Amino acid sequence: MDLTSEDNVNRTTIGVHEKAKDAFNKINSTTCMTYLSKIAAVDIEFNDVTYSAPSTRKEMKMILKGLSGQFKSSNLTAILGSSGAGKSTLLNILAGYRCTEMGGSISINGQMRDMNKFKKMSCYIMQEDLTQPNLTVSEAMRFAADLKLGRKKSTSEKHAAIDEILSVLRLNGTQDTITNRLSGGERKRLTIALELVNNPPVIFLDEPTTGLDELSSTQCIDVLQRLARCGRTVVCTVHTPSANAFKKFDHVYIISNGQCVYRDSASNVVPFLRNIDIECPKHYNPADFIIEISAGDYGSNVVEQMVACVNAKLPLPIFRSKTEFDFAKKNLTLKIPWIVQSSTLVKRMMVQIYRNRNYIYLKIVLHFFLGLVVGALFLNMGNNGSKAFFNVFFCFSCITIFLYIPMLPVLLHFPLEIQLMKREHFNRWYDLSAYFWAFTVVNIPLQIFFAILYLSIAYLITDQPLELNRSTKFFGTCFICALIAESIGHNVASVFNALNSVFVGSALTCPIMLTAMQNFGDPSPLPLYRTIPMYMSYIRYALEALITAMYGYGRPRLPCSKEKIYCHFSSPKEIMRTIGAETPPNFWLDIFALFVILFIFKGLSYYLLKQRVQPNKVFQKIHTIRKRIKSHLNM
């Protein structure tokens, strides 16, 4: 009786689990048939793909050696191989992330690939799970929908699509969770969900299970399998899949030293090895076993035999109707208006700034503290004739503060923003110009607010002249200096990583200040090789503008303290002579020069950002030289 009861309980439990599983699959299949299934089938075929990269010597090293294969729609394809085999390189080439120094041909549904159109039809989810910080899951999805869909769909349709995607990827319970607080598996699924908003027919993923435990890895593979069943072409690289996860792949493509050693279903791995007289041990993961063989653990002759078997079986050419594919291609390549992209990015950045209130509070406290410190150092010197010359150094200290304070935070956080921007731009979320305009517009009010906070304290404590004309010119010059310093930070951070940016940016400020102070107090002319660097430094123009605002425009003689018998610098004209200017500098000419420098730095920032996402031949050559230097240093 006990055994029978226990058996009945087990059967009942199994039945409940089966019913729950069937209900779950039914829900997901129903969901999949509404928004996520409205796509055309896209098959990828590549023939004789080669790729070379700089080696430790002057010659090039062949990474991929004539790979051929097919990745079909409705299939979940895994690219496997040992470390350094070339699987990530192949994925980068197929996704269009790396196009130079490659050979061979890639076809889409039997037609030669048009890279610009193909990128709009596909998405590439890279290994690192980088998501926009300080946003909830639902907010991140809504912004992605606005950027990718624009006004093609109504707000209600976007919300319905988002709910459907989150349901399929099992992220319903995390809609109000900040992306920074998601678990590894949830963050990985969120990166997939963000790219599904515009329903791309092709999805590339670089090691989506890396860093996840076995349960999270299996769940991730389940999600990818369901997406593939909806008609997508899903291709991913996997390092070491478990036996359970390996069975879920419809197609497996294994690479060994740049050559294909297997391209077939996962279930056919063991029979394939048996045909070349290699028996996979029982209770051994077939994925691990064939990767060990491809790595040469069982001899190089076995690898050569596998390559010969694969090359003997050529893939059949792909023939597919163009009508449905061309219709879907037109829908996917619709252009979102630039103004919609920029306004959406502005909203997203403002939400992130609002959420990062601790950083804002810290900057407020910092500017308040600096205002008190600088004000105390130059206390009541603004209208004191006996200390008028020291007030010149107050002007210089303001320029110094608006050099370092706006620049240093940019050097730390902007390199990470560039990584996120590169991924979103590569997947065609927005134009680079829209992103550049958005972060420029958002940062201007912040810099002006912090500048007003500091100057309001320091200007009053130091007893500077409370004249609207002079104070407006003083404040305005400092605003421009803050924006220039921020632009310098963007230029440096666009080239280097965070660590090197802080070093290079800090070192760069020294020549900027030193060259600006040349000939200060000495009216004798400088040689040309010193004059040119002096007037290339914006600090020179800023200092002249501040001194002119304070002591120009016919300011009367300053009062001196009673204990002073003679005040040499009580006359503003004498201050001008001492700094080397017989006549006050032209304030508006200095402001014009500052604006020119600001626009030059802004233009350079845009150019450098463009080279990060789409480098020209010069930057490609520089990148190649840098890689060769690194390889030589690592020898």
Side-chain angles (χ1 to χ4, degrees), residues 141-165:
M141 292 293 293
R142 285 199 297 269
F143 283 123
D146 291 337
L147 288 169
K148 292 187 170 191
L149 302 178
R151 295 169 184 165
K152 291 191 296 182
K153 291 185 179 294
S154 63
T155 303
S156 59
E157 289 176 327
K158 291 178 184 177
H159 287 317
I162 290 171
D163 292 339
E164 179 180 324
I165 293 170

Side-chain angles (χ1 to χ4, degrees), residues 172-327:
N172 306 70
T174 63
Q175 293 191 41
D176 297 326
T177 305
I178 300 295
T179 57
N180 305 0
R181 301 172 184 172
L182 294 173
S183 65
E186 292 171 341
R187 192 179 297 111
K188 179 66 70 176
R189 296 200 299 273
L190 175 61
T191 57
I192 299 173
L194 292 171
E195 300 299 339
L196 288 178
V197 169
N198 61 335
N199 204 10
V202 182
I203 303 176
F204 297 101
L205 304 99
D206 187 13
E207 299 195 11
T209 60
T210 299
L212 304 181
D213 55 40
E214 187 174 353
L215 178 61
S216 299
S217 298
T218 304
Q219 291 176 345
C220 184
I221 298 299
D222 286 337
V223 168
L224 297 178
Q225 188 182 46
R226 288 200 298 271
L227 293 175
R229 293 294 180 269
C230 294
R232 286 174 185 77
T233 305
V234 183
V235 183
C236 61
T237 59
V238 185
H239 189 56
T240 53
S242 63
N244 187 29
F246 185 68
K247 294 178 182 178
K248 298 179 183 294
F249 292 108
D250 304 300
H251 183 68
V252 177
Y253 194 92
I254 302 177
I255 304 175
S256 172
N257 194 25
Q259 296 177 296
C260 180
V261 296
Y262 182 80
R263 54 182 185 202
D264 205 340
S265 62
S267 58
N268 201 36
V269 168
V270 175
F272 172 80
L273 295 176
R274 191 177 294 121
N275 289 337
I276 58 175
D277 298 329
I278 297 178
E279 188 68 32
C280 179
K282 292 183 179 179
H283 311 295
Y284 202 91
N285 185 358
D288 292 339
F289 186 65
I290 194 169
I291 290 175
E292 290 176 3
I293 295 174
S294 64
D297 292 353
Y298 290 79
S300 59
N301 58 327
V302 178
V303 177
E304 294 174 359
Q305 187 178 359
M306 294 171 69
V307 172
C309 291
V310 170
N311 293 335
K313 186 180 179 181
L314 297 176
L316 296 175
I318 295 175
F319 297 100
R320 190 178 292 277
S321 175
K322 292 179 57 180
T323 306
E324 183 185 359
F325 174 66
D326 290 341
F327 176 76

Side-chain angles (χ1 to χ4, degrees), residues 435-485:
Y435 172 81
F436 181 79
W437 173 257
F439 84 74
T440 300
V441 169
V442 168
N443 287 331
I444 288 176
L446 287 175
Q447 295 298 341
I448 292 177
F449 168 74
F450 293 130
I452 290 175
L453 176 62
Y454 163 79
L455 290 172
S456 300
I457 299 171
Y459 197 87
L460 292 175
I461 295 178
T462 55
D463 195 23
Q464 302 300 328
L466 298 178
E467 302 174 23
L468 181 61
N469 182 42
R470 297 186 188 278
S471 58
T472 302
K473 292 177 178 177
F474 192 94
F475 277 49
T477 304
C478 291
F479 295 160
I480 301 173
C481 290
L483 297 176
I484 291 175

Side-chain angles (χ1 to χ4, degrees), residues 61-72:
K61 179 183 178 182
M62 188 71 75
I63 305 297
L64 301 182
K65 305 173 182 178
L67 294 179
S68 300
Q70 294 175 343
F71 298 152
K72 297 183 179 181

